[in-house]
Amino acid sequence: HPSATSAGDPQRWRDLAVVVVVTCVYVAVLGFSLVRYSIATAVFLFLAIVWLAPQRRRALPGALAVALVLGFGLDYVFRHILVTDLP
């Protein structure tokens, strides 16, 4: 079935622009070691998930859970199981 928005929809371009900017900020924050990987990743994922969700308010609890589990879970796996430091 056809998607609710077309490729020329300004909202899709706005979504793309926001995610690109958030991704660039995330990479810069990690590159300059401004905060730990776990915190930067959790914040990045939360913002990206909420922004791209069709119903942002309803996505908040799930986005927070996914962001925290992945942000801190991946940090734990890399530091303690794979013994690899992250930025």
Side-chain angles (χ1 to χ4, degrees):
H1 79 295
S3 75
T5 57
S6 67
D9 182 13
Q11 180 62 42
R12 288 183 62 139
W13 290 105
R14 189 173 20 254
D15 290 347
L16 174 63
V18 168
V19 171
V20 167
V21 168
V22 170
T23 302
C24 290
V25 170
Y26 171 67
V27 170
V29 165
L30 288 178
F32 290 110
S33 299
L34 299 176
V35 291
R36 290 182 54 113
Y37 170 85
S38 55
I39 296 169
T41 301
V43 170
F44 166 73
L45 287 172
F46 178 76
L47 293 174
I49 292 168
V50 169
W51 186 262
L52 294 174
Q55 296 178 348
R56 292 184 181 143
R57 293 193 96 169
R58 292 187 64 188
L60 291 175
L64 182 60
V66 168
L68 290 174
V69 167
L70 286 177
F72 289 91
L74 288 172
D75 184 60
Y76 179 84
V77 167
F78 276 94
R79 286 184 190 275
H80 300 287
I81 296 173
L82 300 176
V83 192
T84 302
D85 282 334
L86 295 169

